[in-house]
Amino acid sequence: MKPNKLSWPAVGAALAMVTLVACSSSGGESSADGQVTLKWQGYSQERVGFYKEAAAEFKKEFPNITVVPEALAEDDYKQALPLSFRSKNSPDLFSYTWPTAGDYFELTDVLGNNWAAPLDASVLPADFKSRFRGTSDLMEPIYGKDGKIYTVPRPPSTGTIGYGYMYFNKDVLAKAGLTGNLPATWDQFTAACQAIKEKAGASCIAQSTQSPDEIERLLSTFVAVNVKGYTPSKVSTQSGKFTETSDPQFVAAIQYLRSLYEQKHVLPGQYDKIAARQAVAGGKAAFYFDGGWMSTVFPETFKFKNFGVALPPAKTTAAPDGYAGRIPQGPPLPELFISSQSKHPKEATQFLEWMTRPNGWYAQHFTEKGFDLLPWVAPDKAAQWLPKDNATRDLLPLDPKLHVLAPVPALKCPDLAKSQALTKVDQIQENLVHSTINKFLLSGGDWPSMARSVEDKQNKVFEAELGKEASAGLKVSTDCFAEPAWDGVTPFKYTK
């Protein structure tokens, strides 16, 4: 779990970079007149201009503190950060978002490397923990340890407002006579597809199945709301084993999608996400399923603005009441830390407190830039601050209807940071699950039988590896992944 183990060529290149940064930066310094300079380093190069604006605004309230934002290319930053700690020249504030053990082990990594200092509680308001939505008051062990706060969260990794929306071309729907009459159930969706084919001369859906990541865009959007407790890993929250794809709800959803292929409602061929999006933007297809980022991707990349966004259809009863489950999301992931080598943790804490004020300058102007939605910005403020032409505002009322706070196995069983069970399953055959799903969608077959065949292979390896690790002393089992009492619709209750 040590991200600072690098090849010697990489060490040489990164050490040279650290030297250049050290020579050009005055981070972490203080002067006789009480002036303090903090170095804030990360890899969001496209936002450096904004960060400099924020640093200047912060200085108006804290005139003795100068924040110097720096950003490297991501790959360079991954190499340079560990070496900056080795050379005792680490930034006062740094981003860390790629733990080797997987999401939610960011704090485990930085503490294991002795990189992080806790926030200075003496300059934090009493309600500081409660300003971060979906974090259970900055719960341990994600954001803190032993009662101390070590980090603040970043925007959700799934985009502007999460995964799982149904985008549509308004012109195509108008030609099909569907304006104001969006399909909310499977039967309605099939009928809409037929009308689109007959009246608009277009395909109903354009959806890439060219790679596992792209197939998952459809599964995590359409299938997730029709399956109780869906997880992209395909480990069932009901059993804690690989039984999700043979679950009756999953079977029904995947068979329905197959029916759309059989009826030729899907844009034919195997194509990537760019082609699928272009087909919708160009009026060759009506619907596309993907994440919240499409609210900016369509207008910026494809110069396409006449699109709408809605909830995915439910099986028999209109969404969201008819959903069997909702699209799962865990707490926001950690991002910013104060260096254990910083001589000014108090001043660094003051900057983080200022940055994360829900009604503050940073929250408002970050939202106005349309970068993303911060975990400390209330939806009503986001609606007020988002640019008038930013379609993200259309997602705001849909988000709570579509998403649900879900259990995270790593929080239940921290020893999963050391487990190789899921990795071993992935090694059976690359993309086994998604390639099987792809085959079924395009060519058909007996899905329950196909699913059980895949699951038998997965569970044999999964259970054997977990058993081996448990015998070696790790506190891991299939129970780590099981939450059978969770209904998949109401937020999961985390306990500290």
Side-chain angles (χ1 to χ4, degrees), residues 47-251:
R47 298 178 183 173
V48 170
F50 170 75
Y51 293 156
K52 289 180 178 178
E53 291 179 32
E57 192 68 25
F58 170 73
K59 193 172 178 64
K60 293 179 182 178
E61 183 174 341
F62 298 89
N64 66 308
I65 306 174
T66 299
V67 177
V68 181
E70 298 173 349
L72 308 176
E74 183 172 358
D75 288 344
D76 294 335
Y77 180 70
K78 287 181 180 180
Q79 295 175 347
L81 183 65
L83 289 169
S84 72
F85 279 95
R86 290 183 186 177
S87 63
K88 307 298 182 183
N89 188 52
S90 65
D92 299 276
L93 293 155
F94 66 94
S95 296
Y96 185 80
T97 60
W98 10 255
T100 55
D103 289 344
Y104 298 109
F105 292 106
E106 287 84 352
L107 183 58
T108 300
D109 267 13
V110 296
L111 290 182
N113 285 303
N114 194 30
W115 286 356
L119 275 64
D120 187 332
S122 70
V123 294
L124 294 177
D127 62 350
F128 181 74
K129 290 184 177 181
S130 65
R131 66 175 56 166
F132 302 93
R133 292 179 293 114
T135 67
S136 296
D137 293 336
L138 291 180
M139 62 182 291
E140 297 184 16
I142 304 176
Y143 312 101
K145 183 179 181 181
D146 299 331
K148 298 178 180 179
I149 304 168
Y150 279 88
T151 184
V152 295
R154 65 182 184 266
S157 59
T158 45
T160 307
I161 316 185
Y163 231 123
Y165 299 94
M166 181 174 73
Y167 295 88
F168 55 91
N169 184 311
K170 292 182 179 180
D171 288 335
V172 175
L173 263 63
K175 291 177 182 178
L178 296 170
T179 300
N181 190 27
L182 287 171
T185 67
W186 292 2
D187 284 347
Q188 291 174 9
F189 194 82
T190 301
C193 287
Q194 191 63 35
I196 290 164
K197 180 193 292 186
E198 294 175 353
K199 298 179 181 179
S203 294
C204 185
I205 303 174
Q207 201 76 32
S208 172
T209 56
Q210 196 170 71
S211 71
D213 171 66
E214 298 188 0
I215 295 172
E216 193 58 47
R217 294 172 193 274
L218 179 60
L219 300 181
S220 286
T221 299
F222 184 94
V223 175
V225 297
N226 290 292
V227 176
K228 177 182 177 181
Y230 175 86
T231 62
S233 72
K234 309 301 182 289
V235 178
S236 170
T237 55
Q238 299 302 299
S239 67
K241 303 177 183 179
F242 285 94
T243 58
E244 185 170 88
T245 56
S246 64
D247 180 276
Q249 291 180 333
F250 187 97
V251 172

Side-chain angles (χ1 to χ4, degrees), residues 66 102 184 186 193 202 226 288 305 343 346 355 418 444 448 450:
T66 299
W186 292 2
C193 287
N226 290 292
Y288 175 70
K305 296 184 178 181
K343 297 177 182 179
K346 177 181 177 180
M355 173 193 286
K418 305 170 187 176
M450 295 168 73

Side-chain angles (χ1 to χ4, degrees), residues 273-325:
K273 64 186 179 185
I274 303 301
R277 295 166 178 177
Q278 184 61 61
V280 173
K284 294 181 179 179
F287 294 103
Y288 175 70
F289 296 91
D290 209 333
W293 48 83
M294 291 308 302
S295 61
T296 54
V297 170
F298 270 137
E300 291 179 3
T301 304
F302 298 94
K303 311 304 178 187
F304 173 52
K305 296 184 178 181
N306 198 30
F307 65 89
V309 60
L311 299 174
K315 186 176 181 180
T316 57
T317 305
D321 294 338
Y323 285 155

Side-chain angles (χ1 to χ4, degrees), residues 104 134 142-143 156 328-333 404-408 411 494:
Y104 298 109
I142 304 176
Y143 312 101
Q329 55 188 26
L333 297 171
V404 66
L405 195 63
V408 177
L411 302 183
Y494 289 100

